[in-house]
Amino acid sequence: MGNVLLDVRNLRTEFVTQDGVVHAVNGVTFALEEGETLGLVGESGSGKSVSMLTVMRLIPMPPGRIPSGEVIFQGQDLLKLSPEEMRQIRGNKIAMVFQDPMTSLNPVLTISTQITESLELHLGMSKDKARKRAVELLKMVNIPEAERRLDDYPHQFSGGMRQRVMIAMGLSCSPQLLIADEPTTALDVTIQAQITDIVKRLKSELGMAIIWITHDLGVIAGLADRINVMYSGYIVETAHTKEMFANPLHPYTVGLLGSIPRLDEGKKEKLTPIEGLPPDLVNMPTGCPFHDRCSFRTQKCLEENPPLMSVGVKHWSACWNYEAVREKRDEILHREILQPVTA
Amino acid sequence: MTYHHAPSPNDTRDAASSMTMEVQTKTGTAQSPKTTASTHDQTLLQVRNLKKYFPITQGILFQRQVADVKAVDGISFIVKQGETLGLVGESGCGKSTTGRTILQLYRPTEGQVVFRGKDLAMLKGEDLRKMRSDMQMIFQDPYASLNPRMTVGDIIAEPLEVHNIAKGKEKKERVQELLQIVGLNPYFVNRYPHEFSGGQRQRIGVARALAVNPDFIVCDEPISALDVSIQAQVINLLEELQDRFDLTYLFIAHDLSVVRHISDRVAVMYLGKIVELTDSRTLYANPLHPYTRALLSAVPIPDPIIEEKRERIILVGDVPSPVNPPKGCRFHTRCPLAIPICKEVAPEWRDVGNEHFVECHVV
């Protein structure tokens, strides 16, 4: 810990479409330390996946383009690498696990072929050795009868098992960074618990850094060291996990927390939804992108887009009125919480 | 414009006398929207030993049945007038099939669905069609459940036409009123579904369900396709409408936090069976069935301090296939508390007190 592994500076990603230019990521800056778990929280269209696909250089260009930004990984700017150099990093030093385990595995190849591919390619292992390693990897993610299952095809696995296979593939070359894009969203909660349990264990065993993309504040509360909340292509708040949940200082973060029912809530209280819809990424509003839906809005919000401002210890919020948020948020977030049950 | 609104709770009749009852209450005189009444004691719907099997066939020309998918395999519960009963479970547990079988969108393989004293499973044709105006459904996917070639006005007006509720100017006014009720601009009548966001489309689905003044609505995962900030809008809308029109909901969802929030009572399903049913508070405070406990412990809570201290019950393996469900208790293959009898004998559905039902040998 302590050394910066990934340093993303002023990253922008746009897509040129028939309807105009979609501003998907609008100047994202953050750093990730070795061994750290970063949660990237936001709703659809907030730019959380696109920003990570940009880091992985997986944005098709055209229609995509990256007008500005640097992605410094271990001293190299990934955006300046040739496709060949990038291939050496992708799957080897940075691996990615996608949301949908049903479509991200190749249905006509066995699991064995798909796992050993990167082992042979990146680590130059022999077929035999790669196969042995594949069995180890499957055992690591709790696939029962790993030796026998190795020659099965993806359709012979359940959704949860496929996602575990994906994680095994992601981990195959012992990456320094694992990017997980909503890896549990398509799964049932009990299976989600199995997966997050495995990821937590592997993280402490292998010491890699993780970026976990999600829209689920519950999942991230138990996983991440630090959280970036994204809205319409901007990071609007960033803080350590406990600080973020105890002391949210952006109206959008407060809105998200106020709009989800909690499992342990007591008497039925009305949720506080965020009214309205996210802005159109083609015609972005002037000023703060959230002003349209914000109950803390002032004149300044319509005119000037707030930068991330330091609002506490390692805590930044992009809101002009964060002091007002601090004073009023408890009215929105107040809930009766039941005592946790002991299992 | 008037509301032809729902019959009052004391219209609930017992089985014997109601066979002659017709839907005359539907077309009754105008009523002001009702405020919430504590009418939770009367049974609106009773489900008895409901089963729904889907056949698996083999052969191309001569199809023969080789097995059954036992999607719902003998469940019993009641839904009380004015309440929300939550039905929660993981994918494939049969919760959606239950909702559809209750509405007779699937005909039950066995069992009874008694709605206001009538067994819906026995009704056919015109009689059943008439009953449908009392029972409606809100579907999961707001993108797939609205016909893309119809305007929003036509979508909402269709049930009014089918049930001969309103025509001409009256119909038009009713559609605009319904749009307003669900928080959409009445000016949108001539737009098409693709012009709306997911949350707005779900509101259209709600307006369509409300068009016929139903008493009972099956909400099948109505918010799971929506973004977090939009989910709360729809949850609040459903709650407001329930108060305003004295609706009874069967709320089907996989998200236990949402189900607990919206429901008065919650039924937990596993592999075609309801394993536990109790009020929302007890479900969290005193869950009895080992599956309920595992499910509760698996749901993440958005609070890092609580998450740090929580102990998870991690279930091993996956849900078995509903084609060959395990003998005895269906949960025994994954149950941390299983004892020998669980493998042999299916546990009974019993009341452990205060209408807390559970199906388990151990607890």
Side-chain angles (χ1 to χ4, degrees):
Chain A
M1 283 255 201
N3 290 334
V4 172
L5 178 70
L6 179 77
D7 192 0
V8 177
R9 292 181 200 153
N10 194 27
L11 186 69
R12 307 169 74 90
T13 312
E14 299 172 350
F15 295 93
V16 183
T17 68
Q18 279 186 336
D19 301 327
V21 179
V22 177
H23 302 273
V25 181
N26 299 305
V28 160
T29 301
F30 67 89
L32 179 73
E33 291 175 4
E34 283 171 11
E36 190 180 24
T37 304
L38 173 71
L40 217 51
V41 176
E43 297 178 274
S44 25
S46 62
K48 55 193 194 307
S49 291
V50 173
S51 60
M52 286 306 111
L53 288 172
T54 313
V55 166
M56 287 293 271
R57 294 267 303 272
L58 289 171
I59 299 289
M61 297 198 269
R65 62 185 192 202
I66 304 168
S68 80
E70 286 170 86
V71 178
I72 315 286
F73 178 77
Q74 296 184 323
Q76 277 178 308
D77 185 353
L78 299 185
L79 300 181
K80 293 209 172 74
L81 295 184
S82 70
E84 180 49 44
E85 288 167 320
M86 191 60 211
R87 221 169 290 145
Q88 297 300 322
I89 289 186
R90 209 188 287 128
N92 187 12
K93 292 182 172 164
I94 309 178
M96 194 155 178
V97 176
F98 295 92
Q99 172 172 355
D100 190 351
M102 311 294 162
T103 54
S104 40
L105 286 168
N106 188 334
V108 298
L109 298 177
T110 61
I111 295 302
S112 150
T113 318
Q114 300 188 54
I115 301 180
T116 53
E117 187 185 16
S118 60
L119 293 170
E120 288 167 31
L121 181 76
H122 289 303
L123 305 180
M125 283 187 184
S126 68
K127 277 213 154 57
D128 245 23
K129 222 174 147 196
R131 218 181 133 82
K132 276 198 189 114
R133 173 80 179 132
V135 173
E136 277 172 35
L137 286 162
L138 289 184
K139 282 186 179 157
M140 208 157 77
V141 293
N142 299 349
I143 301 268
E145 302 177 81
E147 285 94 347
R148 195 177 61 77
R149 297 309 303 263
L150 204 55
D151 292 312
D152 283 351
Y153 289 89
H155 74 265
Q156 292 165 290
F157 291 83
S158 69
M161 282 169 97
R162 276 183 243 191
Q163 196 56 288
R164 279 181 269 164
V165 170
M166 288 297 295
I167 291 171
M169 283 168 68
L171 298 176
S172 58
C173 301
S174 311
Q176 277 95 358
L177 171 61
L178 180 73
I179 300 176
D181 188 356
E182 307 233 17
T184 60
T185 305
L187 307 174
D188 279 318
V189 274
T190 57
I191 309 296
Q192 170 172 282
Q194 289 176 359
I195 301 279
T196 50
D197 202 47
I198 288 169
V199 170
K200 272 190 224 170
R201 195 193 77 222
L202 293 176
K203 185 186 134 79
S204 64
E205 281 172 22
L206 309 173
M208 71 212 157
I210 298 176
I211 297 180
W212 189 284
I213 303 176
T214 184
H215 66 274
D216 188 332
L217 287 165
V219 172
I220 213 62
L223 269 177
D225 302 315
R226 199 155 56 86
I227 293 175
N228 286 349
V229 179
M230 288 192 74
Y231 187 77
S232 63
Y234 295 93
I235 293 174
V236 293
E237 186 165 10
T238 173
H240 281 283
T241 306
K242 283 183 188 163
E243 166 78 5
M244 181 74 90
F245 282 90
N247 186 23
L249 286 174
H250 193 281
Y252 178 64
T253 315
V254 173
L256 279 182
L257 287 167
S259 57
I260 45 172
R262 285 178 60 143
L263 181 71
D264 55 351
E265 68 186 23
K267 79 172 180 295
K268 199 161 160 176
E269 278 174 84
K270 246 189 146 74
L271 299 173
T272 319
I274 305 174
E275 297 302 338
L277 299 169
D280 179 0
L281 296 175
V282 176
N283 299 304
M284 292 280 280
T286 52
C288 172
F290 189 62
H291 78 242
D292 204 26
R293 308 173 76 188
C294 183
S295 53
F296 297 92
R297 173 181 59 219
T298 55
Q299 186 58 33
K300 194 173 186 186
C301 307
L302 308 181
E303 289 155 8
E304 234 181 302
N305 190 5
L308 278 172
M309 293 171 270
S310 177
V311 293
V313 181
K314 295 196 173 178
H315 185 170
W316 289 267
S317 165
C319 177
W320 297 120
N321 304 310
Y322 67 86
E323 284 301 343
V325 177
R326 200 196 301 267
E327 276 165 36
K328 288 207 188 130
R329 65 164 181 237
D330 289 345
E331 290 168 30
I332 298 172
L333 298 179
H334 173 75
R335 303 266 179 91
E336 181 204 352
I337 301 299
L338 296 176
Q339 280 305 305
V341 274
T342 42
Chain B
M1 177 61 208
T2 55
Y3 281 115
H4 320 154
H5 202 264
S8 58
N10 47 19
D11 278 329
T12 334
R13 284 157 188 153
D14 65 44
S17 66
S18 65
M19 291 315 285
T20 52
M21 175 191 142
E22 214 19 282
V23 280
Q24 84 274 14
T25 41
K26 264 312 36 158
T27 48
T29 47
Q31 274 178 17
S32 57
K34 275 196 225 73
T35 50
T36 25
S38 52
T39 52
H40 283 208
D41 297 335
Q42 270 131 335
T43 304
L44 179 72
L45 177 85
Q46 182 164 26
V47 173
R48 286 194 209 122
N49 194 29
L50 187 70
K51 291 186 183 175
K52 178 65 196 173
Y53 294 175
F54 295 100
I56 304 173
T57 55
Q58 247 176 28
I60 298 166
L61 215 51
F62 301 102
Q63 296 211 331
R64 61 205 160 82
Q65 192 178 329
V66 290
D68 282 309
V69 176
K70 294 170 181 141
V72 177
D73 202 7
I75 58 172
S76 304
F77 60 91
I78 57 167
V79 183
K80 298 173 190 173
Q81 173 78 38
E83 78 166 346
T84 300
L85 178 69
L87 193 55
V88 71
E90 297 181 280
S91 37
C93 73
K95 54 192 192 301
S96 287
T97 306
T98 303
R100 285 165 181 247
T101 312
I102 286 172
L103 294 187
Q104 306 298 312
L105 296 174
Y106 297 143
R107 299 316 293 259
T109 307
E110 214 184 296
Q112 292 170 312
V113 180
V114 181
F115 181 78
R116 289 234 176 83
K118 283 191 189 181
D119 184 2
L120 301 179
M122 306 301 281
L123 291 182
K124 285 197 281 216
E126 189 60 18
D127 292 340
L128 179 59
R129 207 175 62 82
K130 278 187 182 148
M131 288 302 282
R132 290 206 194 282
S133 67
D134 289 345
M135 312 171 296
Q136 287 288 309
M137 186 150 182
I138 298 167
F139 296 91
Q140 171 172 9
D141 186 347
Y143 293 86
S145 58
L146 303 176
N147 186 337
R149 290 159 195 257
M150 284 168 78
T151 64
V152 167
D154 291 339
I155 288 171
I156 299 173
E158 200 175 19
L160 297 173
E161 287 162 19
V162 170
H163 290 283
N164 286 320
I165 291 174
K167 272 191 236 164
K169 188 160 171 271
E170 199 192 345
K171 182 177 82 183
K172 217 166 155 185
E173 282 172 4
R174 176 75 177 138
V175 169
Q176 295 192 333
E177 186 196 3
L178 283 162
L179 281 172
Q180 226 155 17
I181 288 172
V182 298
L184 292 172
N185 192 334
Y187 171 77
F188 292 161
V189 281
N190 292 320
R191 295 200 185 173
Y192 288 89
H194 75 264
E195 296 173 77
F196 294 89
S197 67
Q200 287 174 322
R201 282 183 212 215
Q202 203 52 292
R203 286 171 192 267
I204 296 167
V206 174
R208 176 175 58 184
L210 284 179
V212 293
N213 278 319
D215 303 322
F216 177 59
I217 300 183
V218 174
C219 309
D220 188 4
E221 302 259 13
I223 58 156
S224 41
L226 307 175
D227 259 324
V228 186
S229 72
I230 311 295
Q231 286 186 357
Q233 294 177 8
V234 176
I235 292 175
N236 282 358
L237 174 71
L238 290 172
E239 288 180 344
E240 279 160 31
L241 295 173
Q242 179 167 44
D243 287 354
R244 193 165 160 192
F245 300 120
D246 195 22
L247 299 168
T248 306
Y249 291 143
L250 178 68
F251 192 93
I252 300 170
H254 66 276
D255 185 335
L256 195 47
S257 314
V258 172
V259 171
R260 267 201 77 232
H261 175 84
I262 200 165
S263 308
D264 301 301
R265 297 188 303 141
V266 178
V268 179
M269 270 189 100
Y270 183 78
L271 206 59
K273 288 273 196 187
I274 295 181
V275 295
E276 186 160 9
L277 195 167
T278 183
D279 64 274
S280 307
R281 204 178 172 102
T282 311
L283 189 83
Y284 182 80
N286 186 25
L288 294 178
H289 198 282
Y291 177 66
T292 313
R293 290 191 193 170
L295 195 62
L296 280 164
S297 86
V299 177
I301 294 177
D303 186 330
I305 295 163
I306 293 179
E307 280 292 301
E308 237 174 34
K309 287 186 256 167
R310 278 178 95 199
E311 279 197 37
R312 290 241 139 84
I313 306 167
I314 304 277
L315 291 179
V316 286
D318 290 301
V319 185
S321 154
V323 179
N324 284 312
K327 210 181 141 209
C329 172
R330 294 176 173 218
F331 187 56
H332 84 251
T333 53
R334 304 171 81 198
C335 182
L337 306 179
I339 51 174
I341 191 176
C342 304
K343 288 182 188 152
E344 301 298 328
V345 185
E348 260 176 47
W349 181 237
R350 61 196 166 95
D351 189 347
V352 293
N354 294 324
E355 294 189 42
H356 187 162
F357 295 89
V358 66
E359 205 171 82
C360 180
H361 288 301
V362 182
V363 296

